Amino acid sequence: MDEPRLSKDRPLVVGMIRGGGRPGNNIVANAHAAAMLNAKLIYFTPEDVDVKNKKVKALHYAEGQWHSAVCDFPDVIENDERSLRKKEVFAAITENAPFTMHSLGGKLTTFNRLKKSGLYGNLLIPDYSINSLSDFTGAVTSFEKFVVKPMRGSRGNQVSYFERTSKGFNVNHSGTTSTLNMADLAGFYNEHISSKQYLLQNYIESRSRHGLPFDIRIHVRRGYGARWRLVKMYARIGAGDSIVSNISAGGSIAAANTFLRTQFGEVKGRQILSELKELANTFPDKFQSLYPEFMIDALGIDIGIDRDGKLWIFEINSFPGATFFELTAAIPRMEYAVWLARDYIQCRQNKPGSVALCVNGA
């Protein structure tokens, strides 16, 4: 693989902007990965940006600790979704620099684009978008079991499980159980759903032999040359009576191959693993074709597997976490950021006066 060659006199600066907080292990891993590419990583939040003077009060990692410094705007922005919301700040720091992460638009947008394209239709779970009480009460009669979850990522929070009974519904809302009749639905909607857009989705029983919810996370990311790489594939297993398998909700992880063999047996487990690997190889490019307006840098594809071994797409995330494998994910992340910066600089040099054509890898 070709490696990026950077000037020793002028290492590229990767500006990692996050919505808030201090840098943790994940950011340290990225600082090390940037240094491996002879680049420099600085960390800052929107509040650290001086738009008027085009300066950033940033942190940089050296000799095992973070140091403060006032820096020029970086060559490339490695951002998260929260930082995108600070529009004035974000516009300033990306006026002459590309950025890596774009919002996919939430669950409804991603699944609607998949539906319209016809891609992976056999893996899509039947669902309804909930924008009003009538949407909700109309959809609850469609399935015997279903989940209701926010359109935008919730890390497993605010997810409700419904099971229809002869008298109404047994409900598990974020771990709290209750029984509702049809008349109670309006109250539930007003209390838990009305403030946001939600998705009502047929329930797929993706549970382990011990009754714990699980899914398989396929973490892919662009590296140098913008080539897709499989960073990690692993099982995420929920805890206790939880509805979801998210690690932040108290779950655990396991190697995908070991987990699948234990869950489905040697032969079936190998077959499912092969299907997952094929999906990891083909999905990123096909999904990218649904977003011609920008280049996607990373995807976390969450796959549920029912008792028959059939795959179902649970969610598609544009900002997948890397807990327990921070450096493994950081290396391609920084490779892509460095490549994007170099590509942008070269594009501007080759097309003076046409900066707009060079922004964000376009």
Side-chain angles (χ1 to χ4, degrees):
M1 181 182 72
D2 295 333
E3 295 295 336
R5 298 181 182 277
L6 307 178
S7 168
K8 293 182 179 179
D9 298 326
R10 174 63 170 84
L12 288 177
V13 178
V14 179
M16 180 167 277
I17 183 172
R18 292 296 181 262
R22 295 278 300 180
N25 292 337
N26 180 49
I27 313 299
V28 172
N30 280 276
H32 285 304
M36 291 166 59
L37 298 170
N38 194 30
K40 178 181 178 180
L41 182 140
I42 61 173
Y43 174 88
F44 58 96
T45 70
E47 288 70 29
D48 298 320
V49 179
D50 182 347
V51 173
K52 180 179 179 180
N53 296 306
K54 296 187 176 182
K55 296 289 184 179
V56 177
K57 184 179 179 181
L59 297 173
H60 68 95
Y61 193 76
E63 299 178 350
Q65 58 185 328
W66 291 99
H67 303 269
S68 297
V70 176
C71 310
D72 293 329
F73 282 2
D75 298 300
V76 60
I77 304 298
E78 215 293 330
N79 61 296
D80 65 353
E81 191 166 15
R82 284 179 62 193
S83 62
L84 283 172
R85 301 170 194 166
K86 303 291 185 177
K87 294 183 179 180
E88 181 183 354
V89 169
F90 202 80
I93 60 175
T94 58
E95 183 179 2
N96 291 299
F99 61 96
T100 58
M101 184 266 177
H102 298 257
S103 172
L104 299 180
K107 297 179 181 69
L108 182 61
T109 298
T110 56
F111 281 103
N112 278 346
R113 292 198 187 198
L114 276 172
K115 289 175 186 177
K116 290 178 181 178
S117 71
L119 291 173
Y120 300 104
N122 62 319
L123 304 185
L124 298 182
I125 304 170
D127 59 33
Y128 294 90
S129 58
I130 304 301
N131 298 299
S132 66
L133 176 60
S134 60
D135 287 342
F136 181 56
T137 56
V140 295
T141 59
S142 301
F143 310 116
E144 293 296 318
K145 300 177 182 179
F146 58 90
V147 293
V148 179
K149 55 188 178 181
M151 292 281 193
R152 291 191 175 273
S154 60
R155 292 182 174 268
N157 298 319
Q158 301 175 339
V159 176
S160 304
Y161 167 77
F162 286 71
E163 182 174 343
R164 274 208 290 168
T165 69
S166 59
K167 297 181 179 179
F169 302 90
N170 291 329
V171 182
N172 183 332
H173 174 71
S174 299
T176 301
T177 60
S178 60
T179 300
L180 305 178
N181 57 37
M182 287 297 293
D184 297 324
L185 292 178
F188 183 91
Y189 174 85
N190 290 329
E191 182 177 357
H192 300 296
I193 299 177
S194 61
S195 61
K196 295 181 180 179
Q197 284 189 314
Y198 275 72
L199 190 71
L200 187 149
Q201 197 172 61
N202 188 28
Y203 175 68
I204 301 299
E205 190 170 12
S206 181
R207 289 187 173 268
S208 71
R209 290 183 173 182
H210 300 291
L212 300 176
F214 78 88
D215 62 25
I216 304 296
R217 163 60 64 89
I218 300 174
H219 185 138
V220 293
R221 182 172 288 281
R222 291 190 191 273
Y224 186 67
R227 292 184 288 269
W228 286 106
R229 287 161 61 177
L230 174 60
V231 175
K232 194 172 184 66
M233 183 189 301
Y234 56 99
R236 305 189 307 170
I237 308 156
D241 296 326
S242 62
I243 308 165
V244 297
S245 54
N246 200 300
I247 298 172
S248 65
S252 58
I253 68 172
N257 57 349
T258 303
F259 177 82
L260 292 171
R261 289 201 308 269
T262 302
Q263 175 73 12
F264 294 97
E266 191 71 30
V267 175
K268 187 69 172 178
R270 283 203 309 267
Q271 177 189 330
I272 295 172
L273 183 63
S274 177
E275 292 177 22
L276 289 166
K277 288 181 177 179
E278 176 67 16
L279 189 64
N281 287 332
T282 62
F283 188 91
D285 280 330
K286 290 182 178 180
F287 187 74
Q288 173 67 81
S289 71
L290 307 181
Y291 286 85
E293 62 267 36
F294 55 75
M295 187 179 291
I296 301 169
D297 70 316
L299 291 170
I301 310 158
D302 297 337
I303 304 296
I305 308 173
D306 64 24
R307 290 184 177 183
D308 296 325
K310 185 184 183 314
L311 308 187
W312 297 92
I313 297 176
F314 277 4
E315 285 194 29
I316 304 165
N317 303 284
S318 58
F319 195 72
T323 305
F324 307 124
F325 55 98
E326 288 89 349
L327 186 59
T328 303
I331 292 172
R333 170 178 273 176
M334 290 298 103
E335 285 181 352
Y336 177 64
V338 166
W339 173 84
L340 193 61
R342 288 172 56 86
D343 185 66
Y344 177 80
I345 292 169
Q346 183 177 3
C347 186
R348 291 187 66 191
Q349 292 171 345
N350 292 342
K351 299 178 181 178
S354 301
V355 175
L357 297 176
C358 304
V359 174
N360 303 318

